[in-house]
Amino acid sequence: MTTTKKNRPYVLSIAGFDPSAGAGVLSDVKCFEQHEVYGFGICSALTVQTDSDFITNDWLDAAQIIDQLAPLLLKFPIAACKIGLIKDSAVLLEVINYLKFHAPSLKIVVDPVLKASSGYEFHDWKDSLEILAPILKQIDLITPNFPEMLSMGGKAGVHATAKAWATHCPVLLKGGHLEDNMGTDYLFELDIIHELKPNTPKIHQKHGSGCVLSASATAYLAKGFTLLNACTQAKQYIEHFLNSNNTLLGYHKL
């Protein structure tokens, strides 16, 4: 499905500012451009990092994020929004409530970034299901990887946790951290589990790959793809991204 410059959907990224542009809002906007959607970027945290080392970050609170959002939502019919690195569940709750109040038909994808690939930990989401349950049905997809999904379920196993979240909103469980079935993703939609197998046997690891997969799925949802098709297409896109070169910083291309 292709679009012209005149009718490209508007898509929003709320994410951290990564100076290396390998992850966060800069990476998302690059990804959106390749998908022929027009990307807006909202900063949720100012980070100090490279492609291999995360040093520190400064959080923006809900009011600062909403101040950036307000004029864009007022002027543009935004089709979809991806939310990445954000301070905590309370800030996420306030931002999503604002988004849905001002743009009820907006598609929302949440990528719960809990730890940088270098090991830097941001926050713990183990109680987030209880906190976010009232609004989860307003979210179209969450995209945790296996370690993130485990931390979001306390003592429950990863698939049990994904199933629990999927009773509220769909879950794309990213399989890049699996030892067995490496690269196999699982899409949970209520009682249905779709297994998305990798299309290539070997990949080159990349900084920000989880952000890119989520951004790609968001772009496809904005263009009217079904959830399963959006996730399937996004998986193909991320594999091209991972194998675009043999460094930690990938090239965006369809």
Side-chain angles (χ1 to χ4, degrees):
M1 184 181 297
T2 59
T3 53
T4 67
K5 290 183 179 179
K6 290 185 178 180
N7 67 358
R8 290 187 177 191
Y10 295 108
V11 183
L12 185 67
S13 168
I14 302 173
F17 182 87
D18 170 8
S20 79
V25 68
L26 290 178
S27 177
D28 288 351
V29 171
K30 288 192 288 184
C31 180
F32 292 157
E33 186 72 16
Q34 287 299 314
H35 287 73
E36 297 186 336
V37 299
Y38 192 93
F40 295 124
I42 302 296
C43 182
S44 59
L46 292 170
T47 76
V48 179
Q49 63 178 302
T50 67
D51 57 336
S52 59
D53 297 294
F54 195 103
I55 301 164
T56 188
N57 71 293
D58 290 317
W59 295 111
L60 274 69
D61 61 27
Q64 292 171 302
I65 293 170
I66 289 170
D67 282 347
Q68 298 172 74
L69 281 174
L72 294 174
L73 287 173
L74 184 64
K75 184 173 183 178
F76 299 100
I78 299 173
C81 174
K82 178 213 156 179
I83 304 176
L85 183 64
I86 203 160
K87 184 178 180 181
D88 53 33
S89 298
V91 172
L92 178 62
L93 182 68
E94 190 169 346
V95 169
I96 289 177
N97 278 330
Y98 185 89
L99 285 168
K100 296 303 284 189
F101 180 81
H102 291 277
S105 63
L106 182 77
K107 300 282 187 182
I108 296 179
V109 175
V110 175
D111 185 30
V113 183
L114 309 187
K115 180 185 290 188
S117 55
S118 62
Y120 186 98
E121 293 191 16
F122 299 111
H123 42 67
D124 190 346
W125 275 40
K126 66 178 183 296
D127 298 321
S128 54
L129 179 55
E130 182 178 349
I131 296 171
L132 296 174
I135 64 157
L136 282 176
K137 292 191 182 300
Q138 300 182 77
I139 297 174
D140 296 274
L141 182 67
I142 61 169
T143 61
N145 59 36
F146 268 66
E148 289 164 345
M149 192 84 263
L150 278 172
S151 70
M152 292 162 66
K155 296 181 180 179
V158 64
H159 282 273
T161 300
K163 289 178 181 178
W165 279 78
T167 62
H168 300 278
C169 68
V171 176
L172 178 62
L173 185 57
K174 299 179 292 192
H177 292 76
L178 280 174
E179 293 184 4
D180 299 322
N181 295 326
M182 173 69 75
T184 298
D185 302 333
Y186 299 90
L187 176 61
F188 293 77
E189 290 188 275
L190 295 175
D191 295 328
I192 303 172
I193 304 175
H194 306 281
E195 187 176 276
L196 308 180
K197 290 187 174 294
N199 300 296
T200 179
K202 186 177 179 180
I203 61 167
H204 295 284
Q205 295 292 339
K206 290 289 181 289
H207 169 55
S209 57
C211 297
V212 174
L213 179 59
S214 301
S216 178
T218 305
Y220 282 117
L221 287 174
K223 295 172 73 170
F225 282 66
T226 66
L227 182 59
L228 177 58
N229 285 339
C231 292
T232 301
Q233 293 296 319
K235 187 168 185 62
Q236 293 181 15
Y237 184 81
I238 190 63
E239 289 176 345
H240 289 307
F241 175 79
L242 291 167
N243 287 327
S244 61
N245 62 49
N246 60 2
T247 75
L248 286 175
L249 293 175
Y251 302 143
H252 288 267
K253 59 181 181 179
L254 278 172

